[in-house]
Amino acid sequence: MTRTSRIHNFGAGPAVLPQSVVEEVASALPNLMESGIGLCEISHRSETFQRVVDSAMERVRRLLTIPEDYTVLFLQGGASLQFYMSALNLLKPGEQADYLITGGWSQKALKEAQRVGDAQSRWDDFSNGFKAVPQQGEYTIRDGAVYLHYTSNNTLYGTQYQRHPDSGGKPRVLDASSDIAGVPLDVSAHDLIYAGAQKNLGPSGVTLVILSPWALSRVGNDLPTMLDYNVHASKGSLFNTPNTFGIFVLDCVFKWLEDNGGLAGSIERNQAKASLLYDELDSSEFWKPHASKDSRSVMNITWRLHNKELESVFLHEAENAGLGGLKGHRSVGGIRASMYNGCPIESVEALVAFMQEFRVRHT
Ligand SMILES: *Cc1c(COP(=O)(O)O)cnc(C)c1O
């Protein structure tokens, strides 16, 4: 189907960006900040681009209230590289690290950490279909654990921690790829946070990494250069050519977030969007929401219908109505609406109106 206008995009990532950001990026393509050089053509060593990096760093520090002595990096390789890189930098061979397994991403993070040290799952919801995240007291942390790793939001299953999990006094390492800057986050209660940008912050190909002084102090001396946090930190994320395009888009999104009420505004909008959809899902047995109520995500909402045929009809009719990206992850099936920071409430209103009409017609 060819389209002349933008759909309501519920894709799980890369995800929809605010319209004004898309337009700002488009206008920078031929000429970035009146430098006479296009956004994808400018040197990362230029003064103009340095202004972009500095601005993005300052904005994200303000937006997330990042403590002054923490380091911010814009790296490449996605969150998937951080699965390994975080463990490689924080653990010495044989040392222990504890993981909470709440879905496919934390499984992958654990697997990579096991290449480095004694990384262990301390809680795993696999047998329950990953419907929930652990509650206080449902797991223990080993005395010797160097850190606790968790995934704050689980895109595949639509679950999310409602508060930072107890780490028994150990440093927290967080994969915040799918809810960064969209839910409350106490950065100072963590020692390492990483997030691929393509869901809540910008395009793919750039990863936000936030490190405490403790995290940097753990880094060994003989790591492969590109996998060494200290190398990137000492060069202000410009050790090698970074994703210049991605960092510019990040700066635009951070500015958009600041102009729209900062983190508090973002949290409020995301809660309002999620409430609209959960209200519809809870209104009738017609829908079968996946996540346990105490673990529901505001970013990815997943549900099923009574049978697969009806799910296919739903997806097909939604697509025709200009509602896209709703097919559940291939490992889970069903329906998934991803509603990250860039998703406007109008899109959710359109989805809920479609669902109400669909429910009445098929009941
Ligand atoms: C999407 C996602 C990833 C994968 O990120 P890549 O940038 O593709 O490596 C990892 N963790 C979480 C929580 C995600 O949502």
Side-chain angles (χ1 to χ4, degrees), residues 8 35 38 41 63 86 120 146 149 155 158 160 170 177 191 194 206 235 240-242 259 272 274 294 307 325:
H8 294 294
S35 64
E41 303 158 286
L63 186 70
S86 54
Q120 212 181 75
V146 174
H149 179 285
T155 41
Q160 187 170 39
K170 306 285 185 188
S177 295
D191 282 86
Y194 58 90
V206 57
K235 300 291 181 188
N240 71 322
T241 320
D259 290 346
D294 59 7
N307 61 66

Side-chain angles (χ1 to χ4, degrees), residues 153-176:
N153 180 75
N154 304 283
T155 41
L156 278 62
Y157 303 95
T159 60
Q160 187 170 39
Y161 289 86
Q162 314 295 309
R163 59 194 64 79
H164 303 329
D166 182 16
S167 67
K170 306 285 185 188
R172 290 187 182 86
V173 175
L174 165 60
D175 176 1

Side-chain angles (χ1 to χ4, degrees), residues 341-363:
N341 292 339
C343 172
I345 193 150
E346 290 76 19
S347 288
V348 183
E349 287 165 351
L351 172 61
V352 169
F354 168 80
M355 288 168 68
Q356 287 168 343
E357 188 269 337
F358 187 91
R359 167 166 57 78
V360 170
R361 198 151 37 83
H362 289 275
T363 303

Side-chain angles (χ1 to χ4, degrees), residues 77-81 83 105 151 153 155 175-178 196 198-199 207:
S80 297
L81 180 60
F83 297 159
W105 300 123
T151 313
N153 180 75
T155 41
D175 176 1
S177 295
S178 45
Q198 68 270 22
K199 286 158 187 153
T207 312

Side-chain angles (χ1 to χ4, degrees), residues 130-145:
F130 289 123
K131 284 188 169 61
V133 298
Q135 305 299 320
Q136 184 94 13
E138 287 186 355
Y139 57 89
T140 56
I141 310 285
R142 290 179 289 176
D143 288 341

